[in-house]
């Protein structure tokens, strides 16, 4: 994998995609940190060679079409369980505050 | 404005009518269900939940591909399409990026002049629907029952040149998915969604290259507009027409075109600005690691092919060539599969296509329109209907009288058979009709006089009067003969 150096624009873009407001100081800080993070992650590329173990390649595994799930319905969660983690609920719906600038 | 080309592409989403959702076994029948009662960890995007693809949904996607002359991939792969919105709890939609299940297809439609034209399909891919959002003042309510429903996206090449063809194409797609029982494709319920994108480009400044409109060297393309909120097939045409005119006006007024999304307002028949798109979407696609590659072999495809039925275009050709129907009638009858099946069943009983077509497009369609119901809701025994039609053909009963019986049977839910038995049929007996004929002659001296003076069409009036007296049951030919004889004798 080629090394990429992150600049302020990349960080700003990542902030927008993650819906996080970043201050100028934070942007400067992340420019440095992200390069370090990425190079740490890149050590994973050496995983197989160094450990002799095989990485999880599930997404390159193959299954046959006939093995796919049949179209039958199964009961899921009760509404109570489904909404248990929602901070705000109204009439059985999850309630979400709109962002002003949306 | 003649030096501009209109460029239209159409993205159509179809909600597949499977029992369960795309990647989990929750019920897909969400319409009018209490909110958030049909969910599970998968469609709520809870951590650790694993998606398992629905075979039936993919079968239906492939079936549609086969019906639109598309190529089918042999390795089905899914990708994650990332964006952040409350209706998408995982933070990504499972979709397909560069490897759609079906690609390079086409449909043939007629343009406004009646000439056949091909609309090319770039890709048909499988994805999942998002949750339903209800926007209220300054907050939003979310119902996850719809989250994760199987959704097919059909992307045309951006080579549609006018609004009429775009409408015909959308209409044909709806017809095909209904014929193949892929979806009910009710646009009002959101089971089918059309999103046209339109741009005007100066002639000679652009070319089509590998799925995209690209500028010729040294030119810059005009930005395109995407239209949302289209709730009917006719709105596809109207909204595109409106948008083309709006862009032309902008260009003529030297205004700058902005890449934007606009919403169709069906009450005002206009499009309204929703948002501008200054930056390209950044969905950060990557392969969905939780779903293995699905191998599709020829045997699988052959099995799916068995579900193909005769499609509307083929039916129209057959009706015209084999049954000698007019193209117009053939199209009207095949507009829906149920109508076509009704016609074919009726035809098998009376063996005269023209007659069957006339009964269907005449009295039966007008009854369906009047009641606003589909032919599958029509409560009629086809054998009885065939008997009725044969009686008319054999001149045992008048057509008007027969239609009256048919309507009465449908309206009052009396079996047609009973009504047929009750109605004594046509009076063909001269002696029986003679007294009625005499009465008509007595009561209408002027018409009789006219007839005697050579106004031969006065006889039609007299026959009409006789029909009235006999409540339509007189045999018109006998009646005519009888009246003529009696007047001569006078």
């Amino acid at each position: 994998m080629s090394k990429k150096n992150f600049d302020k624009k990349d960080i700003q873009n990542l902030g927008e995609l993650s819906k996080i407001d970043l201050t100028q100081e934070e942007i400067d800080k992340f420019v440095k940190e992200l390069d370090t993070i990425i190079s740490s992650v890149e050590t994973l590329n050496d995983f197989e060679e160094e450990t002799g173990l095989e990485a999880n390649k599930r997404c390159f595994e193959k299954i046959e079409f006939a093995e796919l799930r049949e179209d039958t319905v199964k009961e899921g969660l009760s509404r109570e369980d489904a909404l248990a983690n929602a901070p705000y609920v109204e009439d059985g719906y999850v309630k979400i505050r709109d962002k002003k600038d949306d | 404005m003649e030096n501009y080309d209109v460029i239209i592409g159409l993205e159509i989403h179809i909600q597949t009518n499977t029992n369960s959702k795309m990647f989990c076994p929750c019920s897909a029948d969400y319409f009018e269900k209490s909110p958030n009662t049909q969910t599970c960890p998968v469609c709520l995007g809870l951590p650790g939940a694993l998606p398992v693809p629905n075979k039936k949904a993919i079968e239906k996607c492939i079936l549609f591909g086969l019906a639109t002359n598309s190529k089918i991939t042999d390795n089905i792969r899914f990708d994650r399409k990332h964006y952040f919105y409350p209706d998408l709890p995982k933070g990504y939609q499972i979709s397909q990026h560069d490897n759609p299940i079906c690609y390079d297809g086409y449909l043939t439609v007629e343009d406004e002049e009646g000439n056949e034209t091909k609309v090319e399909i770039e890709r048909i891919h499988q994805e999942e629907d998002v949750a339903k959002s209800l926007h209220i003042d300054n907050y939003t309510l979310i119902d996850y029952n719809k989250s994760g429903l199987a959704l097919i996206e059909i992307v045309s090449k951006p080579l549609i040149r006018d609004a009429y063809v775009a409408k015909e194409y959308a209409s044909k797609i709806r017809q095909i998915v209904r014929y193949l029982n892929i979806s009910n494709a009710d646009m009002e319920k959101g089971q089918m969604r059309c999103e046209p994108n339109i741009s005007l480009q100066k002639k000679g400044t652009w070319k089509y290259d590998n799925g995209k409109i690209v500028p010729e060297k040294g030119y810059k393309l005009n930005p395109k507009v995407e239209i949302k909120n289209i709730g009917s097939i006719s709105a596809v045409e109207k909204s595109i027409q409106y948008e083309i005119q709006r862009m032309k006006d902008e260009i003529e007024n030297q205004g700058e075109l902005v890449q934007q999304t606009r919403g169709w307002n069906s009450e005002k028949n206009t499009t309204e600005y929703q948002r501008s798109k200054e930056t390209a979407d950044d969905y950060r696609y990557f392969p969905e690691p939780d779903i293995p590659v699905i191998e599709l072999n020829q045997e699988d495809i052959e099995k799916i092919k068995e579900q193909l039925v005769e499609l509307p275009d083929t039916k129209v050709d057959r009706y015209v060539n084999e049954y000698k129907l007019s193209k117009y009638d053939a199209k009207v009858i095949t507009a829906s599969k149920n109508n076509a099946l009704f016609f074919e069943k009726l035809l098998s009983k009376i063996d005269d296509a023209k007659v069957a077509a006339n009964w269907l497009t005449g009295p039966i369609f007008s009854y369906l329109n009047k009641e606003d119901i589909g032919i599958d809701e029509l409560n009629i025994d086809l054998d009885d209907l065939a008997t009725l039609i044969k009686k008319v053909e054999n001149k045992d009963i008048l057509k008007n009288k027969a239609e009256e019986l048919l309507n009465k049977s449908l309206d009052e839910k009396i079996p047609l058979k009973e009504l047929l038995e009750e109605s004594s049929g046509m009076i063909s007996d001269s002696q029986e009709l003679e007294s009625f004929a005499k009465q008509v002659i007595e009561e209408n001296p002027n018409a009789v006089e006219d007839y005697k003076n050579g106004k031969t069409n006065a006889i039609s009036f007299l026959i009409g009067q006789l029909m009235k007296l006999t409540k339509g049951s007189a045999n018109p030919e006998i009646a005519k003969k009888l009246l003529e004889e009696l007047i001569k004798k006078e």
Side-chain angles (χ1 to χ4, degrees):
Chain A
M1 204 181 286
S2 66
K3 294 239 170 171
K4 176 179 181 358
N5 287 316
F6 286 84
D7 59 25
K8 289 185 185 182
K9 234 175 132 191
D10 293 322
I11 300 297
Q12 223 152 10
N13 186 34
L14 278 174
E16 276 163 30
L17 289 170
S18 317
K19 311 276 168 191
I20 303 169
D21 290 327
L22 295 174
T23 63
Q24 206 49 54
E25 290 80 52
E26 284 170 323
I27 291 175
D28 291 338
K29 186 176 152 220
F30 286 135
V31 167
K32 286 181 215 129
E33 281 187 6
L34 212 65
D35 273 333
T36 319
I37 292 169
I38 294 296
S39 57
S40 311
V41 173
E42 278 178 347
T43 59
L44 281 176
N45 291 341
D46 307 325
F47 171 84
E48 285 184 11
E49 203 178 310
E50 286 184 12
T51 62
L53 296 171
E54 215 175 299
N56 183 354
K57 286 184 176 161
R58 185 170 159 83
C59 62
F60 306 109
E61 240 173 55
K62 286 191 172 182
I63 58 165
E64 285 179 15
F65 184 71
E67 293 176 62
L68 292 178
R69 179 172 61 86
E70 296 298 331
D71 184 29
T72 44
V73 174
K74 276 189 199 150
E75 191 85 9
L77 296 173
S78 69
R79 177 148 82 190
E80 201 190 354
D81 284 346
L83 298 178
N85 287 330
Y88 305 101
V89 169
E90 187 174 298
D91 298 333
Y93 291 92
V94 176
K95 186 177 178 181
I96 283 142
R97 183 174 50 92
D98 285 352
K99 264 182 76 180
K100 281 211 180 74
D101 56 353
D102 259 359
Chain B
M1 293 306 291
E2 283 83 40
N3 47 349
Y4 278 86
D5 289 320
V6 174
I7 296 171
I8 304 165
L10 213 57
E11 279 180 21
I12 297 181
H13 283 91
I14 302 280
Q15 240 178 29
T16 316
N17 61 358
T18 47
N19 299 321
S20 66
K21 293 185 181 181
M22 185 60 222
F23 297 111
C24 61
C26 288
S27 170
D29 180 18
Y30 72 99
F31 193 66
E32 287 179 343
K33 293 282 157 59
S34 298
N36 296 309
T37 52
Q38 299 185 160
T39 66
C40 75
V42 174
C43 54
L44 285 176
L46 300 186
L50 289 174
V52 186
N54 182 336
K55 183 159 69 182
K56 192 89 209 167
I58 298 180
E59 271 178 22
K60 287 183 186 248
C61 180
I62 294 168
L63 188 61
F64 184 74
L66 293 170
T68 51
N69 316 290
S70 304
K71 294 178 185 145
I72 315 289
T73 184
D74 47 13
N75 282 306
I76 301 172
R77 298 162 195 272
F78 288 98
D79 298 286
R80 292 185 177 182
K81 178 184 180 180
H82 296 82
Y83 66 95
F84 189 83
Y85 203 74
D87 63 10
L88 189 68
K90 294 193 294 295
Y92 57 85
Q93 178 189 34
I94 304 179
S95 180
Q96 296 188 290
H97 185 217
D98 43 18
N99 199 340
I101 296 180
C102 322
Y103 56 99
D104 285 351
Y106 66 87
L107 279 178
T108 309
V109 300
E110 277 182 13
D111 66 15
E112 217 159 356
E113 282 81 44
N115 301 317
E116 288 199 339
T117 176
K118 255 188 194 178
V119 178
E120 292 184 68
I121 294 172
E122 169 86 20
R123 53 183 288 154
I124 302 163
H125 68 254
Q126 182 68 58
E127 54 185 34
E128 56 175 340
D129 210 345
V130 296
K132 193 170 119 192
S133 306
L134 283 176
H135 300 290
I136 300 164
D137 297 337
N138 57 346
Y139 62 94
T140 301
L141 297 178
I142 314 272
D143 172 11
Y144 291 99
N145 287 349
K146 186 166 80 78
S147 168
L149 248 72
L151 203 63
I152 298 172
E153 181 172 332
I154 306 148
V155 184
S156 83
K157 287 186 180 169
L159 295 173
I160 302 172
R161 301 305 279 276
D162 66 57
Y164 181 87
V165 170
K167 179 202 72 178
E168 287 296 302
Y169 165 73
S171 169
K172 184 146 278 180
I173 284 188
R174 184 175 64 176
Q175 197 183 21
I176 290 174
V177 296
R178 286 179 175 170
Y179 258 74
L180 294 173
N181 189 27
I182 290 170
S183 171
N184 302 333
D186 184 336
M187 291 182 74
E188 277 180 25
K189 287 184 183 165
Q191 292 165 342
M192 174 172 174
R193 298 161 223 163
C194 298
E195 284 158 17
N197 55 72
I198 306 151
S199 72
L200 296 186
Q201 307 295 351
K202 222 175 198 157
K203 281 191 198 298
T205 65
W206 65 278
K207 61 181 175 197
Y208 175 75
D209 182 29
N210 201 16
K212 285 197 169 61
I213 302 293
V214 292
E216 290 280 10
K217 223 174 175 175
Y219 290 102
K220 209 175 142 241
L221 290 181
N222 279 329
K224 64 178 177 185
V225 164
E226 210 176 290
I227 311 176
K228 302 222 182 232
N229 290 349
I230 291 177
S232 67
I233 294 285
S234 64
V236 172
E237 185 179 20
K238 279 192 253 170
S239 64
I240 295 173
Q241 276 168 345
Y242 178 88
E243 203 46 43
I244 292 169
Q245 192 54 49
R246 191 193 65 82
M247 285 196 275
K248 282 182 179 171
D249 292 347
E250 290 271 291
I251 292 172
E252 286 197 337
N253 298 334
Q254 313 275 314
E256 199 173 327
L257 291 171
V258 182
Q259 177 150 349
Q260 57 187 293
T261 303
R262 299 179 69 88
W264 175 244
N265 183 323
S266 58
E267 278 164 31
K268 295 187 195 157
N269 281 328
T270 58
T271 63
E272 289 163 354
Y273 173 85
Q274 285 186 334
R275 59 182 176 274
S276 72
K277 274 191 159 178
E278 282 155 8
T279 50
D281 290 319
D282 187 354
Y283 292 122
R284 293 148 290 147
Y285 282 101
F286 69 71
E288 167 59 84
D290 289 338
I291 302 174
V293 174
I294 301 155
E295 277 185 311
L296 194 66
N297 57 42
Q298 205 48 45
E299 209 179 301
D300 299 319
I301 295 177
E302 290 304 320
K303 250 190 214 161
I304 297 167
K305 256 188 199 158
E306 288 169 15
Q307 296 174 42
L308 276 176
V309 297
E310 187 181 35
L311 292 170
D313 283 357
T314 322
K315 266 198 198 300
V316 168
D317 286 346
R318 186 163 65 85
Y319 286 10
V320 170
N321 296 326
E322 201 175 306
Y323 301 149
K324 310 292 174 213
L325 294 188
S326 69
K327 195 161 188 185
Y328 178 82
D329 278 348
K331 276 186 155 184
V332 170
I333 293 168
T334 56
S336 100
K337 186 167 85 176
N338 285 340
N339 289 349
L341 291 181
F342 187 94
F343 169 75
E344 287 170 20
K345 276 190 218 150
L346 182 61
L347 182 57
S348 71
K349 293 180 194 294
I350 64 168
D351 225 24
D352 185 330
K354 274 251 163 61
V355 171
N358 287 341
W359 274 86
L360 185 60
T361 57
I364 292 175
F365 277 6
S366 60
Y367 183 82
L368 297 177
N369 284 338
K370 189 185 84 182
E371 298 292 314
D372 196 21
I373 54 171
I375 204 153
D376 48 322
E377 295 164 83
L378 199 66
N379 196 2
I380 195 156
D381 185 294
L382 269 174
D383 284 315
D384 294 348
L385 180 60
T387 310
L388 181 79
I389 295 172
K390 278 184 203 152
K391 276 184 186 281
V392 175
E393 292 304 297
N394 296 335
K395 298 203 160 65
D396 287 339
I397 183 170
L398 278 173
K399 189 153 194 273
N400 287 347
K401 175 84 181 167
E403 287 182 14
E404 201 181 288
L405 289 180
L406 175 65
N407 280 315
K408 186 174 176 178
S409 158
L410 294 170
D411 274 333
E412 298 173 25
K413 298 194 172 51
I414 307 167
L416 191 54
K417 199 174 182 181
E418 277 178 30
L419 292 178
L420 273 171
E421 281 164 6
E422 263 174 40
S423 87
S424 50
M426 208 175 319
I427 310 173
S428 301
D429 185 276
S430 300
Q431 275 179 335
E432 213 176 308
L433 285 178
E434 196 170 319
S435 62
F436 290 116
K438 279 182 177 162
Q439 192 183 336
V440 167
I441 290 167
E442 241 177 71
E443 286 174 1
N444 300 283
N446 291 340
V448 173
E449 204 57 36
D450 283 348
Y451 179 74
K452 282 182 178 166
N453 292 334
K455 281 194 181 172
T456 45
N457 57 354
I459 199 77
S460 307
F461 171 77
L462 293 168
I463 296 169
Q465 296 304 304
L466 194 142
M467 284 296 169
K468 252 191 199 168
L469 276 179
T470 57
K471 299 200 170 83
S473 55
N475 181 324
E477 277 163 42
I478 309 252
K480 187 175 179 224
K481 238 169 116 188
L482 198 60
L483 283 164
E484 283 168 348
E485 281 171 15
L486 287 173
I487 293 172
K488 261 185 208 158
K489 275 190 211 159
E490 266 201 349

